[in-house]
Amino acid sequence: MESVGMYGLCGCTAKNKMRCDSRWEITASEAAPTSAYSSPARSLGDTGITPLSPSHIVNDADPNVSEQQTFLVVVAVDFGTTSSGYAYSFAKEPECIHVMRRWEGGDPGVSNQKTPTTILLTPERKFHSFGYAARDFYHDLDPSEAKQWLYLEKFKMKLHTTGDLTMDTDLTAANGKKVKALEIFAFALQYFKEQALKELSDQAGSEFENSDVRWVITVPAIWKQPAKQFMRQAAYQAGLASPENSEQLIIALEPEAASIYCRKLRLHQMIELSSKAAVNGYSSSDTVGAGFAQAKEHIRRNRQSRTFLVENVIGEIWSELEEGDKYVVVDSGGGTVDLTVHQIRLPEGHLKELYKATGGPYGSLGVDYEFEKLLCKIFGEDFIEQFKIKRPAAWVDLMIAFESRKRAAAPDRTNPLNITLPFSFIDYYKKFRGHSVEHALRKSNVDFVKWSSQGMLRMSPDAMNALFKPTIDSIIEHLRDLFQKPEVSTVKFLFLVGGFAEAPLLQQAVQAAFGDKCRIIIPQDVGLTILKGAVLFGLDPAVIKVRRSPLTYGVGVLNRYVEGKHPPEKLLVKDGTRWCTDVFDKFISADQSVALGELVKRSYTPAKPSQLVIVINIYSSELDDVSFITDPGVKKCGTLRLDLTGTSGAAVPARREIQTLMQFGDTEIKATAIDIATSKSVKVGIDFLNY
């Protein structure tokens, strides 16, 4: 007896396969007479599949999850919005994490253990250079020549801000020319691959093969699924791994990586900001700045050594945590801020994601945008736009000068900050407006920015702090919302990590707002926390045991039509049987806890026994309450096509059982359909970019 629950599935025959995969748009003449909506199964005169009873089978953990492939080395790439880097560890000595070689170049006042996320292509669109090398070469080009070259920076944010991301999404270079995002991300990852393999080969004294490496790439937890998949596709294109050997690449969530590293922290490797207790000799009466200055000095002294020892112990802070204790990781980077709530599970100390990752575009880039707005206010938006196009290299120079002064901003600063204006800015402004930069500053109503005779903008500390305010306010507001959630009450610790966490203004704001609620901890080498945690994650991916599903997943099916329960426009009469079409049969709900490697199974049968090509369409939605695949916000994200032609015989039962499995838990999701009678099966990765 077929199940008549409210959920169900849509299938299609081989002949109609192409039609079924396209958008469900049909004309009135094609539709069945009672149809008010376009409806896939009935518009195609199709049979579809229907759930078998019982359709909900208990979840299993995949027995193969533990049979991991072994690799000689783990290389993690922290592909950041503003700066990037890699680190690695050999499987035989996992307690040593090596951070990449020092980068050539560097800026005054900015540490260069990472390199800027900047890329330069030749006028023929071939890869030229990455990082400091790209920036310096571009800067040295003659302005007329520079216009031909394609220079890109801070392009990672495009993956977060593009609503309809596809493999064909474009990026815009500094000269205004468009280039495929996938190409740029692949070039960048290929660069890191070559650098890392060269360093490994030099260290090992023999050629290191890519097949010896497990790669880990970090992405923000708040990224939607298409962006995470895009990163994996770029890595395949760069040759880090392949779809056939997908286990070689792990996509790690940035706050998870940070969380794993924070477990290992010893007292001398962190600064505590909160007023709850004194750790490491710093009490709440010490200023945030003093504690951090000492820590920075400690890092500076240790910077020559690029090898960090991670003791195979649980750090002191961690040992205070008990079963069920909760903590928040605030990962504040260049582009985004990610908030994740984890809970400890003993005895192994595995992590469980307690509340789905939240956050937003509140990274340190927000401070740069405020500075740009300030320049527009003083010199006019029309001039700034023109200057960026006509003198792109000089604009990059100006933003570099701002970056180093931005890092000098602090709550207790009293002396002004000077930002050097490039000569071409002063020169071009005079040509553009017919008067001097000094005149513009006098005429503007911005009284906290003055002109200094050495050719500098002189900003009062209050003016600089005002540039930070909107971004920091957004972070604090977001944290306040998070702390009001029932799952987040009784949090013991807040770990502040990521490059922007170095900003004393952000530290002070977090301390002031939450210092009385929980203990606030900053790892000393805060900008490398994610990188080191990603290496540890690559060495032991099973450390994260439970995640929250960001979306609701299900398949489209047919169910027996129930008068009064199902909408009349969904009625389809086929060979005397009344079906309800377009039903969304749910596999897992948004925000549901999912164990790593968890399998969810459902069984279906073709609504028409003679059907030999079974197509199962997979759908997702951000909403939890989904009834039909035609509901608003439901998107198709995969198709399982099981061809059973040539398998009909005496052994095949009249009612075939098609088992569908979805495996969750990693950042990727895999689906499989199996014909139980013949063991024929088909697999597919959930695809958010090509539908």
Side-chain angles (χ1 to χ4, degrees):
M1 161 75 188
E2 267 122 320
S3 128
V4 283
M6 69 176 286
Y7 301 112
L9 236 169
C10 148
C12 51
T13 59
K15 183 173 66 181
N16 286 323
K17 157 86 171 97
M18 295 312 294
R19 297 273 298 283
C20 191
D21 271 1
S22 62
R23 290 278 158 253
W24 312 121
E25 286 172 10
I26 53 165
T27 61
S29 60
E30 277 183 281
T34 54
S35 174
Y37 291 73
S38 65
S39 166
R42 60 190 332 179
S43 65
L44 299 165
D46 218 336
T47 49
I49 65 174
T50 184
L52 269 175
S53 186
S55 68
H56 289 224
I57 298 173
V58 235
N59 305 340
D60 295 333
D62 185 351
N64 304 322
V65 164
S66 57
E67 291 172 29
Q68 294 288 349
Q69 208 175 329
T70 53
F71 297 96
L72 295 180
V73 67
V74 168
V75 180
V77 179
D78 179 1
F79 195 125
T81 305
T82 48
S83 61
S84 297
Y86 67 86
Y88 58 93
S89 179
F90 293 98
K92 63 177 190 293
E93 40 176 25
E95 64 287 346
C96 290
I97 297 177
H98 309 270
V99 176
M100 64 207 174
R101 294 171 175 162
R102 287 178 69 83
W103 297 93
E104 298 309 311
D107 299 326
V110 179
S111 77
N112 63 342
Q113 279 198 298
K114 288 191 191 169
T115 192
T117 308
T118 51
I119 196 165
L120 183 63
L121 306 188
T122 66
E124 297 74 42
R125 296 173 175 254
K126 297 271 184 290
F127 175 80
H128 179 272
S129 47
F130 186 89
Y132 288 116
R135 217 178 58 185
D136 296 345
F137 186 92
Y138 181 62
H139 171 259
D140 293 341
L141 286 168
D142 183 80
S144 59
E145 210 185 336
K147 283 180 206 163
Q148 306 307 312
W149 290 67
L150 286 88
Y151 177 81
L152 294 102
E153 60 179 355
K154 299 168 186 164
F155 49 85
K156 180 182 164 189
M157 273 306 276
K158 182 84 176 186
L159 298 196
H160 180 70
T161 53
T162 305
D164 52 351
L165 186 68
T166 70
M167 306 289 253
D168 294 322
T169 295
D170 285 326
L171 296 172
T172 307
N175 61 1
K177 289 184 179 164
K178 297 253 188 276
V179 57
K180 291 270 169 281
L182 190 68
E183 226 169 88
I184 294 298
F185 279 83
F187 277 144
L189 290 170
Q190 196 174 346
Y191 170 79
F192 279 115
K193 176 190 159 191
E194 285 165 11
Q195 293 288 319
L197 287 176
K198 188 173 183 318
E199 183 172 341
L200 289 167
S201 299
D202 290 353
Q203 198 160 334
S206 60
E207 201 61 34
F208 228 87
E209 296 297 327
N210 187 60
S211 55
D212 297 329
V213 179
R214 161 167 267 158
W215 293 94
V216 182
I217 299 174
T218 61
V219 301
I222 52 164
W223 269 13
K224 293 204 176 346
Q225 296 300 103
K228 293 173 187 171
Q229 185 189 332
F230 186 94
M231 210 55 155
R232 182 167 276 275
Q233 292 301 329
Y236 290 160
Q237 194 161 316
L240 272 68
S242 64
E244 299 70 45
N245 192 12
S246 59
E247 287 72 30
Q248 191 177 356
L249 168 68
I250 295 175
I251 301 287
L253 306 182
E254 286 163 7
E256 282 187 353
S259 192
I260 293 163
Y261 179 65
C262 288
R263 306 167 46 157
K264 303 277 189 183
L265 285 176
R266 308 304 304 268
L267 287 183
H268 62 272
Q269 295 170 316
M270 64 179 106
I271 298 115
E272 176 149 9
L273 295 185
S274 44
S275 48
K276 285 224 163 171
V279 169
N280 215 9
Y282 303 135
S283 71
S284 55
S285 60
D286 286 323
T287 64
V288 173
F292 217 70
Q294 280 176 266
K296 274 189 165 163
E297 177 58 26
H298 175 78
I299 295 164
R300 194 188 60 72
R301 284 201 304 271
N302 289 326
R303 187 148 280 155
Q304 300 317 311
S305 153
R306 293 175 307 105
T307 300
F308 294 84
L309 285 175
V310 180
E311 296 169 55
N312 196 13
V313 294
I314 297 294
E316 288 94 337
I317 284 276
W318 213 261
S319 59
E320 292 179 33
L321 290 170
E322 294 160 5
E323 170 84 53
D325 276 353
K326 306 165 191 174
Y327 61 95
V328 178
V329 177
V330 179
D331 168 21
S332 43
T336 52
V337 167
D338 250 357
L339 313 176
T340 315
V341 187
H342 280 152
Q343 188 174 34
I344 304 290
R345 296 172 68 187
L346 295 175
E348 308 90 344
H350 285 140
L351 310 181
K352 173 180 178 178
E353 188 183 352
L354 203 62
Y355 184 74
K356 72 173 175 189
T358 60
Y362 319 129
S364 60
L365 276 188
V367 185
D368 299 358
Y369 293 142
E370 289 300 316
F371 178 60
E372 195 176 318
K373 271 161 61 181
L374 179 66
L375 292 175
C376 289
K377 196 172 171 185
I378 298 169
F379 302 108
E381 201 172 328
D382 54 343
F383 166 72
I384 296 296
E385 284 312 306
Q386 273 305 302
F387 180 68
K388 282 161 86 171
I389 294 163
K390 295 278 194 257
R391 301 279 188 275
W395 174 255
V396 170
D397 260 5
L398 175 55
M399 291 315 286
I400 292 167
F402 173 68
E403 179 66 29
S404 84
R405 302 326 296 141
K406 178 172 99 178
R407 287 168 184 259
D412 47 2
R413 190 183 176 101
T414 51
N415 52 331
L417 295 121
N418 292 326
I419 296 157
T420 309
L421 283 181
F423 171 73
S424 65
F425 184 99
I426 298 166
D427 183 53
Y428 191 67
Y429 184 78
K430 197 161 175 59
K431 285 181 185 149
F432 190 88
R433 286 270 190 258
H435 57 246
S436 70
V437 161
E438 193 179 348
H439 176 82
L441 271 159
R442 272 204 312 272
K443 225 180 69 181
S444 79
N445 298 326
V446 182
D447 52 0
F448 41 74
V449 180
K450 301 274 183 270
W451 177 245
S452 99
S453 51
Q454 292 98 9
M456 294 178 178
L457 287 181
R458 248 181 127 79
M459 288 184 79
S460 72
D462 286 350
M464 180 60 94
N465 295 0
L467 299 182
F468 278 79
K469 193 173 173 359
T471 304
I472 289 177
D473 285 355
S474 297
I475 296 171
I476 298 298
E477 190 183 336
H478 213 93
L479 268 168
R480 281 216 170 93
D481 290 350
L482 183 69
F483 269 86
Q484 275 160 10
K485 303 275 185 287
E487 300 94 325
V488 187
S489 57
T490 69
V491 159
K492 267 205 178 173
F493 293 104
L494 185 154
F495 291 100
L496 195 54
V497 303
F500 195 27
E502 289 179 0
L505 290 165
L506 176 60
Q507 293 171 19
Q508 190 201 41
V510 172
Q511 181 189 13
F514 307 104
D516 57 343
K517 291 186 175 64
C518 59
R519 291 170 62 181
I520 297 163
I521 309 287
I522 304 183
Q524 274 184 358
D525 47 351
V526 66
L528 297 175
T529 305
I530 288 154
L531 197 45
K532 294 179 191 174
V535 173
L536 294 172
F537 187 35
L539 291 165
D540 179 17
V543 65
I544 302 281
K545 280 294 186 208
V546 179
R547 284 216 177 98
R548 294 267 162 175
S549 173
L551 298 170
T552 296
Y553 293 96
V555 289
V557 303
L558 296 172
N559 266 346
R560 290 295 179 92
Y561 187 82
V562 178
E563 206 70 54
K565 176 180 172 182
H566 293 137
E569 65 273 10
K570 299 289 183 193
L571 173 63
L572 170 73
V573 181
K574 215 52 179 157
D575 304 328
T577 306
R578 290 156 65 83
W579 297 104
C580 177
T581 65
D582 302 341
V583 177
F584 185 101
D585 191 17
K586 195 187 291 187
F587 270 64
I588 205 153
S589 298
D591 207 25
Q592 190 174 328
S593 288
V594 191
L596 186 84
E598 187 168 308
L599 283 176
V600 182
K601 296 181 192 174
R602 299 279 184 274
S603 286
Y604 302 100
T605 189
K608 187 175 174 185
S610 59
Q611 190 177 336
L612 290 175
V613 174
I614 288 139
V615 175
I616 299 171
N617 288 314
I618 303 163
Y619 298 88
S620 66
S621 169
E622 290 185 14
L623 303 172
D624 179 19
D625 186 20
V626 186
S627 302
F628 296 98
I629 60 172
T630 49
D631 287 357
V634 176
K635 291 193 174 97
K636 186 169 159 189
C637 58
T639 299
L640 287 161
R641 188 172 184 277
L642 194 55
D643 190 342
L644 301 175
T645 44
T647 61
S648 50
V652 178
R655 287 172 76 251
R656 282 187 120 109
E657 181 183 349
I658 308 295
Q659 201 173 75
T660 306
L661 305 96
M662 269 196 213
Q663 186 178 357
F664 297 89
D666 192 0
T667 38
E668 282 76 46
I669 295 158
K670 299 175 182 76
T672 312
I674 307 162
D675 175 36
I676 297 299
T678 61
S679 298
K680 257 201 165 186
S681 70
V682 60
K683 283 186 178 178
V684 69
I686 301 294
D687 185 350
F688 295 94
L689 293 171
N690 294 311
Y691 283 98

